[in-house]
Amino acid sequence: MKYVDNGKGNERIPLMSLIAILSISLTVNLPGLAITPVMGKIKEVFYPVSELEVELLSSLPNLVIIPIILWTGRLSLHYRKVAILATGLLIFLAGAVAYLFANSLLLLILLGCLVGIGCGFVIPLAAGMISDNFHGSRNAAVLGMKSGTSNGAVIIATIFVGWVAAHNWHLAFLVYLIPIVPLVLLPFMSEKYITKNTIDTALPDSAKPVANATASKSVTHTAENTELPQMSNRERVLRLFAIMGVYIVITYSTTSLFYCLPFTMAHYKLSTSAVGIATAMFYTAAMIFGFALPGFKRIFRDFTMPISIFITLGGMVLMMFVHTFAAYVIGVFMTGVGYGIVQPMIYNKTTALAPNPSKNTQYFAYVLTGNYIAIAAAPFFVKLAATICHTTTEASPDFAIILAAVVTATLLGVSLIFVKDYAFKTER
């Protein structure tokens, strides 16, 4: 059996457990976002329908996710996390199978809500189980791997969806069958399996399980988090809201692009395959820079967050002025670079904020709620802003990109002013 460092002294846990835990992240970005390349095709199939009705396929699942995430955070304090995870994956998978036979837009939207419910159980556990089993700098590294894994899944999904949409739009929903993978690997991520197979390399027989591993695990779940030892509850809550705010803004500014890209790129005579490739560039960049986060932090140090936001803004500005396939690919890639750096930094800050390890999943639930509020609200915010500006996204196909650039520029300014504050500073 192969083992990996868990960041706790000389302890090692099975490599298979790391793979199993990371496999959960294959599912977390899929609801809504994975099928954005096919939205233009679905609008044609169910014509006449509005852009907003089609966008509900992406936004409504993420709206449903929000209360389920919060509920899961509380459930995780009282029930076995593997059981909660299995429930969520099975609900997700049931919705995925039903998608393949749906023949009305209303049914597709309702099934999206079912998938959202299932994913709501899964999302906080994808990060929480990492923080339960990895510690210190190793925890930060694995959280980077989590971001890379989740974004890597969407790369494959969006390319597949963009390609298959030209042949049969129903087949695009095959990407939602991915929960089969973590379901198969569930036994390797259970606390019982990990505790039984944890070893201490300092012992004479390195293959020997850690003595009193169960007791050690119990201590881990009740010990106070010492990374922020002097923090009051009020300060903890304020910092939690601050990082939620950053996550909401960066998620909105990048996610809103994917609601508009199918229609904007179609306006400039680009195909659904081109939309799929451009969308995949975001997740390619996010995956690469999620894995490369430690090196990026070493280079830019205290300005890691502002530099990341600046790169995101640069991509949006490019897409505002140049409307070629290459420009969209490069622009979307740049936005993915920024998001790929910011996301795992937010996750790492969340782990440090939890008052004790048993509340890691609950704190991730709070922060991830902000993420899905942004995803769900993005199309409605764009429509509201367009109404205020006396225009429509149909009349001004670049409006959503311009709005995202304005929001991102504002976030950049705030990050430069408060670069030393908890929400923006670089944790080492």
Side-chain angles (χ1 to χ4, degrees):
M1 184 182 295
K2 293 186 179 296
Y3 295 87
V4 293
D5 180 16
N6 70 354
K8 191 177 180 182
N10 297 305
E11 284 189 11
R12 302 289 185 271
I13 68 171
L15 172 62
M16 200 65 202
S17 294
L18 171 61
I19 293 171
I21 291 170
L22 288 175
S23 75
I24 305 170
S25 297
L26 293 171
T27 66
V28 298
N29 281 343
L30 291 185
L33 295 182
I35 60 162
T36 50
V38 82
M39 284 164 54
K41 182 70 174 179
I42 289 176
K43 185 180 178 183
E44 293 176 12
V45 171
F46 295 105
Y47 181 84
V49 292
S50 68
E51 284 186 14
L52 184 58
E53 287 176 286
V54 177
E55 286 168 353
L56 287 175
L57 286 171
S58 290
S59 61
L60 206 54
N62 293 295
L63 187 62
V64 173
I65 280 172
I66 294 168
I68 305 300
I69 287 178
L70 291 172
W71 188 34
T72 301
R74 296 192 65 84
L75 286 176
S76 69
L77 297 176
H78 307 289
Y79 298 96
R80 289 174 57 240
K81 292 179 181 178
V82 170
I84 298 170
L85 179 61
T87 301
L89 291 171
L90 288 170
I91 294 171
F92 193 134
L93 191 58
V97 172
Y99 260 133
L100 300 175
F101 304 98
N103 279 303
S104 74
L105 184 59
L106 176 60
L107 185 54
L108 289 174
I109 291 171
L110 291 175
L111 288 173
C113 293
L114 181 63
V115 167
I117 291 170
C119 202
F121 285 108
V122 173
I123 288 165
L125 294 172
M129 291 184 75
I130 290 173
S131 292
D132 286 346
N133 292 287
F134 296 91
H135 312 275
S137 61
R138 186 60 178 162
N139 177 67
V142 177
L143 286 171
M145 293 180 194
K146 175 209 174 302
S147 295
T149 302
S150 60
N151 292 315
V154 183
I155 295 169
I156 298 170
T158 50
I159 291 176
F160 171 78
V161 169
W163 171 74
V164 82
H167 305 284
N168 186 329
W169 65 269
H170 260 122
L171 296 179
F173 294 97
L174 285 172
V175 297
Y176 285 158
L177 297 177
I178 199 68
I180 292 172
V181 177
L183 274 170
V184 170
L185 296 176
L186 273 177
F188 299 103
M189 63 181 89
S190 70
E191 183 175 336
K192 180 179 179 180
Y193 176 85
I194 294 174
T195 300
K196 180 180 178 181
N197 292 283
T198 298
I199 64 169
D200 189 334
T201 56
L203 297 175
D205 181 358
S206 62
K208 184 178 179 180
V210 175
N212 300 318
T214 302
S216 173
K217 199 82 169 179
S218 175
V219 171
T220 298
H221 282 279
T222 57
E224 188 72 18
N225 188 338
T226 58
E227 292 189 45
L228 300 168
Q230 304 301 320
M231 189 182 306
S232 66
N233 286 335
R234 180 177 180 277
E235 187 177 3
R236 196 184 303 277
V237 170
L238 289 175
R239 290 186 175 188
L240 179 64
F241 276 111
I243 61 175
M244 284 178 67
V246 174
Y247 204 10
I248 288 172
V249 174
I250 195 68
T251 301
Y252 156 74
S253 62
T254 53
T255 300
S256 63
L257 300 179
F258 302 114
Y259 293 119
C260 74
L261 274 181
F263 309 109
T264 302
M265 292 178 70
H267 176 81
Y268 293 108
K269 312 301 182 187
L270 295 168
S271 67
T272 57
S273 295
V275 176
I277 293 170
T279 304
M281 288 302 101
F282 175 87
Y283 296 102
T284 301
M287 177 185 69
I288 293 170
F289 284 86
F291 285 117
L293 176 60
F296 200 88
K297 287 163 66 174
R298 281 195 297 270
I299 295 171
F300 294 106
R301 296 181 176 271
D302 291 339
F303 287 90
T304 298
M305 190 85 80
I307 291 293
S308 303
I309 298 168
F310 177 76
I311 294 170
T312 299
L313 178 60
M316 294 173 182
V317 171
L318 176 62
M319 290 185 286
M320 284 165 51
F321 293 104
V322 186
H323 304 295
T324 64
F325 174 62
Y328 282 112
V329 167
I330 295 170
V332 172
F333 186 90
M334 290 173 67
T335 65
V337 171
Y339 189 78
I341 295 298
V342 172
Q343 187 184 55
M345 289 182 71
I346 293 290
Y347 291 163
N348 199 36
K349 291 174 187 291
T350 304
T351 299
L353 273 179
N356 58 66
S358 67
K359 291 194 173 182
N360 280 333
T361 300
Q362 188 175 31
Y363 269 62
F364 274 113
Y366 295 144
V367 171
L368 290 165
T369 296
N371 175 63
Y372 287 92
I373 286 173
I375 293 172
F380 302 102
F381 181 73
V382 172
K383 295 293 183 185
L384 176 62
T387 301
I388 293 171
C389 295
H390 304 290
T391 187
T392 64
T393 52
E394 289 85 354
S396 304
D398 298 316
F399 180 82
I401 299 175
I402 295 169
L403 181 63
V406 171
V407 171
T408 305
T410 304
L411 181 63
L412 175 61
V414 172
S415 72
L416 289 170
I417 294 170
F418 297 102
V419 71
K420 295 290 187 181
D421 281 16
Y422 185 75
F424 296 105
K425 74 177 183 179
T426 303
E427 303 292 329
R428 294 189 174 86

